[in-house]
Amino acid sequence: MSLNISLEIDTRGMVCPLPILKAKKALTEIASGALLKVVATDPSSVRDFQAFAKQTNNELIEQSNTAEEYIHILR
């Protein structure tokens, strides 16, 4: 499945809470229903984005990771 990403932000090297704060700001810059991709290197970003999605009613579409990066897709 190919996702139509509206905006991608790079939070590599940042630790909590910066990736969440950057994502929150970015979500205000895109249309409702659009997709935001966040690239992070902080392993705790996985649970942070799960909690963020629940608290803000944003949909966490997908989470994946490689050896060094964590990808979060939000709507």
Side-chain angles (χ1 to χ4, degrees):
M1 177 173 102
S2 177
L3 298 174
N4 187 13
I5 304 296
S6 295
L7 180 62
E8 179 175 334
I9 61 171
D10 181 356
T11 65
R12 292 177 187 103
M14 298 178 191
V15 294
C16 183
L18 288 177
I20 294 293
L21 294 174
K22 297 271 186 185
K24 185 175 180 179
K25 181 179 184 297
L27 284 167
T28 67
E29 299 171 1
I30 60 176
S32 179
L35 298 182
L36 171 67
K37 178 179 180 178
V38 182
V39 181
T41 51
D42 182 2
S44 67
S45 68
V46 174
R47 72 173 185 274
D48 292 344
F49 275 98
Q50 290 168 355
F52 173 75
K54 283 183 183 177
Q55 292 173 353
T56 61
N57 291 323
N58 285 292
E59 185 179 359
L60 185 59
I61 302 293
E62 181 179 303
Q63 286 185 302
S64 61
N65 67 289
T66 64
E68 299 171 359
E69 294 181 340
Y70 301 87
I71 309 297
H72 313 282
I73 310 290
L74 295 155
R75 179 185 326 250

